[in-house]
Amino acid sequence: MDQTVSVVGAGLAGSECALQLAMRGVRVRLFEQRPAHPSPAHHTDRFAELVCSNSLKSTKEDSAAGLLKHELDRMGSALLPIARTCSVPAGGALAVDRDAFSTAVTERVTADPLIEVVREEVTSVPEGPCVIAAGPLCSDALFEAVSAAVGGERMSFFDAAAPIVDAESIDRAVVFEQSRYGESGTGDYLNCPMTREEYEAFMDALLSAERVIARDFEQADLFCACQPVEEVARTGRDSLRFGALKPVGLTDPRTGRRPWAAVQLRAETSSRAAYNMVGFQTNLTWPEQRRVFRMVPGLKGAEFLRYGVMHRNSFVDAPHALDRTFAIPGTQVRLAGQITGTEGYVEAIASGLLGALNTYAALTGAPAVILPLTGALGSLAAYATDPATSSYQPMHVNFGLFPPLEEHIRNKAERRAAMVTRARADLDAYLAGRPDLACAGRS
Ligand SMILES: Cc1cc2nc3c(=O)[nH]c(=O)nc-3n(C[C@H](O)[C@H](O)[C@H](O)COP(=O)(O)OP(=O)(O)OC[C@H]3O[C@@H](n4cnc5c(N)ncnc54)[C@H](O)[C@@H]3O)c2cc1C
C-alpha cells in the first residue's frame, strides 16, 4: 500500500494502532513528543508507559475486563501478549512489570521496518489518513487543533471526578435509600451510615492515604471549586461531617436514629446500574481509593467502575463530535485511546486496535468495523459514539453498558456468564463474516 498513516502518540493506543497497521502492510509515521516534551504524568521516553497503576485489571472470564481481553485476543492484539510476557503475580488480574512492558513495546515498534518513529510534538492535525492517540494529557497545541477540527464547543474537559461504584456491589443490607428529609425507603440517594467509630477510623485512613503526586498543573486544580475529599478532611476533623458526609435529614431505618455521618451515593445512570460517591472527588492513588473507600459501610465489596481522578483530562465529546468509527465526520482523521473519552489501559489498547482496523478498512474500501453491541468493546464504542449519550464522561468497559439479555436472569453470576457467552458468540459470528479483518500481512 502506498499511503502512509500518521499516528500521533506512542502510548498504549498509538503503539497498538501503529503495530496493527504495519502488520497489514501499511506504512506508519508514529509521532511521539517525549522526551523533548514530557507530559505531566509520564516518567520515561518509552512507548506504552503505564502512568499510574501497573494493573491491566481482571483476567476472569466472567468479568467485563476479562471479556475485553478475550476480544483483544480474538482480534489479534499486539500489546496484550507482550503484557502477558511481562506479567507479575496479581491474583485474578493481569499486572505487569511496567518497565519491562514499555521496553518490550518500544523495541517491537522501533524494530518494525514499516514504522518510522518521529520524536517530535505534533502541533496541528496531520494531512492525510491519521489516528490521533495523544492521550488524556495531549499537548496544548494539538489539543487546540483537534478542538478546532471537531468544532470548539464540542471539546470536553474536566479536572475532578468522584469514583463510580457498580450498583450490584453495594451491600443493600447496610445502605438505605432516602433523600435528605425524605421518607425512608424512597429517594434519590443511597446512604452509607457511619457510627462515630467508623467515621474516625475512616478519617484516619483518608488522612494518611497515598496521593497521586500533585504536579504544577494539578496544584491549580486543587484550589478550584472541586476540592478533593482528602483536602477537605485536612481542614478539620469534622469538616466532612458538616460537609459531604453530613447526616442531617437522614434516619437510618435500622436504628431509627440519625447516623453520626453518612456517605451518599447518587445514581449515575437512569437504570441505576452505577452510583457516584457524592463529594468524593479525590487525588488518592487508585489502590488507596479501593482500600480506603471500601471502609465505608456498605461498600466493603465495592467494584469501582471508575476511580476518582484529579488531573487534567482532555477528551472530545465523542458522541457528538465523532462518527461510529471514531472519525471526525467527512475527514480521514480518527481518534483513539483516552482522548475519545474511553478510559483505562486495556480500553486504550482496544481503542488503538479498533482505530487501526477502521483506518485499514477505509483505505481498502472495506465496510466500517462496527463490533457487536453485546461485547465489551462493542458496547463501549457504541456508548462513546451514540449521539443520545448526554453529559459524556470517561468510561471503562462494564456490564452496565451491555444491552440486557432477552430473558432476565436473577442470579448475578449466571447473568454475567450468559452475557459473556452471548458476547463471545456474537464476536465469533461477526469475525467469521469479516475475513478481511484477519491479519493477512506480516506477523
Ligand atoms: C495520571 C493518570 C493516571 C492514570 N492511571 C490509570 C490507571 O492506574 N489505570 C488505568 O487503567 N488507567 C489509568 N489512566 C487512564 C488511561 O488508561 C491512561 O491515561 C492511558 O495511558 C491512556 O492511553 P492512551 O494511549 O490514550 O494515552 P497515553 O498512554 O497517555 O499516550 C499518549 C501519548 O501521546 C503523546 N503525546 C501527547 N501529545 C502529543 C503531541 N502533540 N505530539 C506527539 N505526541 C504526543 C504522549 O507523550 C503519550 O506518549 C490514568 C491517566 C492519567 C492521566
Side-chain angles (χ1 to χ4, degrees):
M1 186 171 297
D2 287 344
Q3 256 177 317
T4 297
V5 175
S6 302
V7 176
V8 183
L12 292 160
S15 298
E16 175 76 32
C17 183
L19 287 168
Q20 289 295 333
L21 287 166
M23 285 193 285
R24 289 168 172 78
V26 179
R27 285 189 186 284
V28 176
R29 192 166 294 128
L30 176 61
F31 294 90
E32 172 51 57
Q33 66 175 359
R34 293 175 286 131
H37 298 269
S39 90
H42 292 83
H43 299 285
T44 74
D45 64 356
R46 290 194 290 268
F47 301 163
E49 181 183 331
L50 305 181
V51 288
C52 189
S53 143
N54 68 335
S55 172
L56 272 61
K57 301 211 190 108
S58 180
T59 52
K60 291 188 183 132
E61 283 189 5
D62 60 352
S63 68
L67 175 62
L68 180 61
K69 290 180 185 67
H70 165 80
E71 294 175 0
L72 281 175
D73 285 332
R74 284 289 284 112
M75 293 190 284
S77 165
L79 262 58
L80 194 53
I82 298 177
R84 290 199 182 98
T85 64
C86 303
S87 64
V88 295
L94 172 61
V96 298
D97 175 323
R98 72 181 70 238
D99 288 332
F101 175 64
S102 57
T103 300
V105 173
T106 309
E107 284 172 0
R108 168 91 185 262
V109 171
T110 48
D112 197 305
L114 288 184
I115 302 177
E116 178 198 352
V117 174
V118 183
R119 292 274 190 178
E120 68 184 36
E121 181 195 359
V122 172
T123 53
S124 59
V125 176
E127 297 285 321
C130 76
V131 179
I132 296 178
L137 302 162
C138 173
S139 76
D140 290 343
L142 181 62
F143 189 66
E144 265 178 42
V146 173
S147 175
V150 300
E153 80 286 0
R154 294 211 185 276
M155 299 298 289
S156 301
F157 177 89
F158 77 92
D159 56 8
I164 293 176
V165 175
D166 185 343
E168 292 193 0
S169 67
I170 298 167
D171 188 344
R172 302 290 172 139
V174 176
V175 305
F176 62 93
E177 187 176 328
Q178 190 185 13
S179 291
R180 226 177 270 288
Y181 304 109
E183 243 177 73
S184 181
T186 59
D188 291 339
Y189 291 88
L190 294 180
N191 302 284
C192 309
M194 283 180 165
T195 61
R196 185 175 194 160
E197 293 69 34
E198 287 165 338
Y199 177 80
E200 293 299 334
F202 175 72
M203 285 293 289
D204 289 340
L206 186 62
L207 290 169
S208 60
E210 191 190 339
R211 289 176 289 165
V212 177
I213 295 178
R215 303 199 171 253
D216 288 350
F217 74 100
E218 289 169 329
Q219 293 288 5
D221 291 345
L222 292 180
F223 299 102
C224 72
C226 284
Q227 285 276 322
V229 64
E230 63 277 8
E231 290 303 318
V232 178
R234 233 170 284 285
T235 63
R237 201 77 194 170
D238 281 327
S239 300
L240 286 177
R241 224 166 63 75
F242 290 100
L245 274 67
K246 69 172 180 277
V248 287
L250 298 174
T251 308
D252 185 342
R254 284 167 315 166
T255 62
R257 289 203 305 270
R258 188 163 93 179
W260 181 255
V263 173
Q264 290 206 299
L265 308 175
R266 184 175 48 224
E268 182 71 13
T269 57
S270 55
S271 62
R272 295 187 171 224
Y275 280 83
N276 193 308
M277 294 182 71
V278 179
F280 270 65
Q281 54 273 6
T282 182
N283 191 35
L284 297 192
T285 65
W286 294 11
E288 288 291 78
Q289 289 185 45
R290 219 168 22 240
R291 181 179 69 84
V292 177
F293 297 162
R294 279 182 177 165
M295 292 174 71
V296 172
L299 300 187
K300 198 170 164 200
E303 283 178 33
F304 294 93
L305 298 177
R306 196 182 81 193
Y307 288 98
V309 281
M310 195 78 200
H311 62 79
R312 180 165 75 80
N313 191 338
S314 311
F315 62 99
V316 304
D317 183 6
H320 305 106
L322 304 179
D323 69 16
R324 293 293 305 278
T325 71
F326 292 92
I328 299 176
T331 74
Q332 297 192 81
V333 181
R334 239 172 219 95
L335 271 57
Q338 184 145 343
I339 198 168
T340 68
T342 58
E343 173 149 312
Y345 295 149
V346 184
E347 285 82 347
I349 294 172
S351 175
L353 170 55
L354 193 56
L357 293 181
N358 268 311
T359 300
Y360 185 69
L363 291 174
T364 55
V369 182
I370 309 293
L371 295 172
L373 302 181
T374 49
L377 182 53
S379 61
L380 181 65
Y383 163 79
T385 57
D386 180 356
T389 301
S390 60
S391 58
Y392 185 53
Q393 284 292 297
M395 186 63 84
H396 59 218
V397 296
N398 68 84
F399 284 112
L401 296 176
F402 288 43
L405 295 162
E406 273 177 29
E407 255 181 65
H408 182 67
I409 300 175
R410 278 184 73 83
N411 180 282
K412 181 176 150 186
E414 287 173 15
R415 185 165 66 250
R416 291 189 168 181
M419 283 179 159
V420 168
T421 304
R422 176 183 66 173
R424 286 175 167 232
D426 287 354
L427 181 63
D428 285 348
Y430 180 76
L431 293 178
R434 292 293 307 259
D436 58 303
L437 299 184
C439 191
R442 300 162 315 117
S443 64

